[in-house]
Amino acid sequence: MSIRFDAIVIGTGQAGPPLAARLAGTGRKTAVVERRRFGGTCVNTGCMPTKTMVASARAIHVARRGGEFGFTLNGTIQVDVPRVRARRDEVVRASTEGIERWMKGTANITVFEGHARFTGPHRVAVNGEAIEAPEIFINVGGRALVPDMPGVGDVPHLTNASLLALEDLPSHLVVVGGSYVGLEFAQIYRRLGSRVTVVERGDRLISREDEDVSTTLQQVLEQEGIAFRLSATCISLVRDPEGVAVGVDCASGAPTVKGSHVLLAVGRRPNTDDLGVDAAGVAVDKRGFVVVDDQCRTNVPGIWAVGECNGHGAFTHTAYNDYEIVAANLLDGDPRTISDRIPCYALFTDPPVGRVGMTTQEARTSGRRVLVGERPMTKVSRAREMGETSGFMRALIDADSRQLLGAVVFGVSGDEVVHSLVDIMYAKAPYTTITRAMHIHPTISELIPTMLQELRPL
Ligand SMILES: Cc1cc2nc3c(=O)[nH]c(=O)nc-3n(C[C@H](O)[C@H](O)[C@H](O)COP(=O)(O)OP(=O)(O)OC[C@H]3O[C@@H](n4cnc5c(N)ncnc54)[C@H](O)[C@@H]3O)c2cc1C
């Protein structure tokens, strides 16, 4: 016998809870299944704990620069790691408990705490019970990819989740992976007091970004004492009296980096391997991502996949946007689509990298006539006043349509400032809308009109 619902939501990441609340609000009897902590990756092992630690790390960094700003502290700065963790855990706890209360306290929602597995197209097993519904929404997210590198089975290694659970500060953290997750952790732990070495297979960091973003960020992080080993081919792990030895170049005699701990930050994989997708007939691609159409529908009628598990974005905002797309189509008669959205994200190093749309390289190969405007942060008075002059901003314009193609704001507040460019892209307005706008002085954003007044062909 199975319990019948109108809708089942599997996973309480960034799309599941708001979707469940909307469905329940329409009177649908809705089951919500969560196998771990409410709120998923972002709240528990992703955005929220890391950004809380970014804030601690920045405060410590600014305190160390006290002399520049005109103050001294008595004695050296002592980092209280348990306090950093406690502050972080408090922020996370409030959020995860809030989501749990929300789900358990919403009329028409029944929460099941356990692992959900499909046993048929519209039937799911959880904790030995069978539940079924004509509408099922998969929001199972992803987890750290542990690559099949030599030694990985024999040597203790950390992922984002286990590093956050670690009580002690690593004396020397070796970060394998010079991309978004790895670089945020590298800077956090360096500022907390660890030695940090980043090992990257490619010949530059964050290879999806423009080369000058990669090199400038590397310089910023090197100034803080982070070491880099780029072009590290055939990375391997070996136990070592110090903790772990990371082989970085098998081709030329396997030099190693020795550290106390190693973090693997080389990508994510979807949590679809133990979901019973075969029993449901739900198609996944060869990496395990659920195949969906432009409105998050799977190949099985009545089953949707939202968030990171559908492979159309690895961010909290893309997961939340998936919820909005499904709710709009299913409940509001509004045909929103994934392809309506403009890619945007930030790398939350200090300074952060705010990004929207195309990179320079993508604009160059797009076949369009492109104009570019650039400005270094050294020529932004607010940045100079704040003593934060690393980085630059750049915008790319289609010379014919006069619309923005993409932008990077790499500098203090870049994660916020980039939104004025995100919004103008959604408005499909010409860039001249901004060049004529009066912005507030002194801000980082005030130089965006100026940058756009000084365009040159790419
Ligand atoms: C270190 C780190 C930092 C990050 N920082 C940012 C950031 O700053 N900004 C940003 O936008 N993104 C960030 N991300 C990415 C972001 O966290 C994810 O993209 C986002 O959480 C994905 O949301 P989701 O809803 O798809 O799934 P998730 O948040 O992963 O949630 C999925 C949920 O489903 C549950 N679940 C899985 N399988 C089952 C099952 N079979 N039965 C029951 N429950 C199940 C899981 O327990 C989990 O609670 C970061 C990620 C990491 C790792």
Side-chain angles (χ1 to χ4, degrees):
M1 273 296 287
S2 63
I3 313 170
R4 295 178 75 92
F5 288 89
D6 297 313
I8 299 172
V9 175
I10 305 175
T12 65
Q14 294 305 303
L19 191 52
R22 276 294 315 268
L23 295 164
T26 65
R28 284 171 170 80
K29 211 178 136 209
T30 303
V32 171
V33 192
E34 174 52 60
R35 69 179 180 187
R36 252 179 229 129
R37 296 182 68 193
F38 288 78
T41 307
C42 180
V43 169
N44 296 291
T45 57
C47 339
M48 190 165 262
T50 55
K51 267 79 259 182
T52 312
M53 292 180 83
V54 162
S56 288
R58 178 167 162 78
I60 293 162
H61 179 70
V62 171
R64 289 195 182 113
R65 293 176 60 197
E68 274 178 61
F69 293 98
F71 67 92
T72 49
L73 295 166
N74 287 331
T76 53
I77 290 160
Q78 300 291 326
V79 176
D80 183 349
V81 175
R83 179 68 203 123
V84 170
R85 286 169 48 86
R87 175 178 175 275
R88 176 198 75 192
D89 294 345
E90 182 49 34
V91 173
V92 168
R93 192 184 59 76
S95 228
T96 189
E97 288 181 3
I99 295 168
E100 183 172 356
R101 266 198 308 277
W102 178 29
M103 289 295 97
K104 291 183 175 170
T106 299
N108 292 331
I109 289 184
T110 305
V111 172
F112 292 83
E113 291 184 64
H115 179 90
R117 195 174 290 108
F118 282 99
T119 53
H122 288 280
R123 191 182 285 246
V124 169
V126 53
N127 297 339
E129 282 189 284
I131 56 177
E132 62 178 72
E135 293 174 344
I136 300 186
F137 304 87
I138 304 171
N139 177 222
V140 293
R143 62 185 187 274
L145 175 77
V146 176
D148 189 18
M149 57 174 58
V152 78
D154 314 322
V155 181
H157 50 266
L158 299 164
T159 63
N160 61 300
S162 48
L163 176 58
L164 289 166
L166 202 69
E167 290 194 5
D168 298 324
L169 192 65
S171 58
H172 183 179
L173 180 65
V174 181
V175 178
V176 177
S179 202
Y180 309 88
V181 168
L183 295 178
E184 285 182 19
F185 276 121
Q187 192 179 42
I188 291 169
Y189 279 88
R190 179 67 194 142
R191 288 180 169 190
L192 293 182
S194 298
R195 260 183 79 195
V196 175
T197 303
V198 176
V199 174
E200 164 57 44
R201 196 174 48 177
D203 60 0
R204 64 184 173 96
L205 304 176
I206 40 171
S207 56
R208 254 186 275 162
E209 306 302 334
D210 284 331
E211 205 163 332
D212 51 1
V213 176
S214 306
T215 50
T216 308
L217 183 59
Q218 185 175 339
Q219 283 159 12
V220 167
L221 297 175
E222 277 172 345
Q223 276 161 17
E224 294 191 22
I226 297 173
F228 290 92
R229 300 297 304 270
L230 303 181
S231 304
T233 50
C234 201
I235 300 168
S236 61
L237 307 182
V238 181
R239 273 182 197 271
D240 184 87
E242 279 180 43
V244 57
V246 181
V248 292
D249 191 353
C250 300
S252 60
T256 56
V257 177
K258 291 183 180 181
S260 60
H261 297 76
V262 61
L263 166 70
L264 300 182
V266 293
R268 310 270 305 161
R269 59 176 293 192
N271 289 326
T272 54
D273 44 329
D274 196 13
L275 187 60
V277 283
D278 289 346
V282 169
V284 296
D285 69 14
K286 59 179 188 304
R287 292 193 299 152
F289 290 102
V290 180
V291 178
V292 293
D293 67 10
D294 212 16
Q295 294 171 334
C296 301
R297 287 181 293 231
T298 70
N299 61 312
V300 178
I303 303 183
W304 291 256
V306 284
E308 211 172 302
C309 69
N310 70 20
H312 287 274
F315 300 102
T316 283
H317 45 279
T318 45
Y320 192 81
N321 189 248
D322 283 357
Y323 140 66
E324 293 183 322
I325 289 165
V326 171
N329 280 283
L330 188 65
L331 308 176
D332 304 332
D334 178 1
R336 292 177 63 173
T337 58
I338 295 175
S339 46
D340 287 342
R341 68 189 178 210
I342 299 167
C344 63
Y345 52 88
L347 167 58
F348 293 92
T349 45
D350 178 23
V353 182
R355 281 273 298 114
V356 59
M358 292 184 187
T359 60
T360 308
Q361 185 55 28
E362 286 164 348
R364 210 171 258 137
T365 52
S366 70
R368 301 167 198 249
R369 287 194 314 125
V370 180
L371 301 173
V372 59
E374 285 170 320
R375 191 148 198 109
M377 286 294 160
T378 48
K379 288 197 172 167
V380 177
S381 22
R382 185 63 189 277
R384 290 206 303 271
E385 288 149 13
M386 296 169 78
E388 305 273 1
T389 51
S390 297
F392 53 87
M393 50 174 103
R394 173 160 57 226
L396 300 154
I397 315 290
D398 184 313
D400 297 308
S401 71
R402 308 207 308 164
Q403 289 182 12
L404 254 119
L405 296 172
V408 55
V409 185
F410 175 16
V412 59
S413 304
D415 47 341
E416 298 289 347
V417 172
V418 75
H419 282 92
S420 62
L421 298 164
V422 173
D423 290 339
I424 207 82
M425 287 178 76
Y426 273 105
K428 295 189 169 47
Y431 75 96
T432 44
T433 310
I434 318 186
T435 56
R436 289 161 189 230
M438 182 182 74
H439 281 189
I440 298 166
H441 175 76
T443 58
I444 307 297
S445 300
E446 79 175 317
L447 268 301
I448 286 182
T450 318
M451 169 177 73
L452 293 173
Q453 285 159 12
E454 297 164 357
L455 300 179
R456 57 174 172 78
L458 181 67

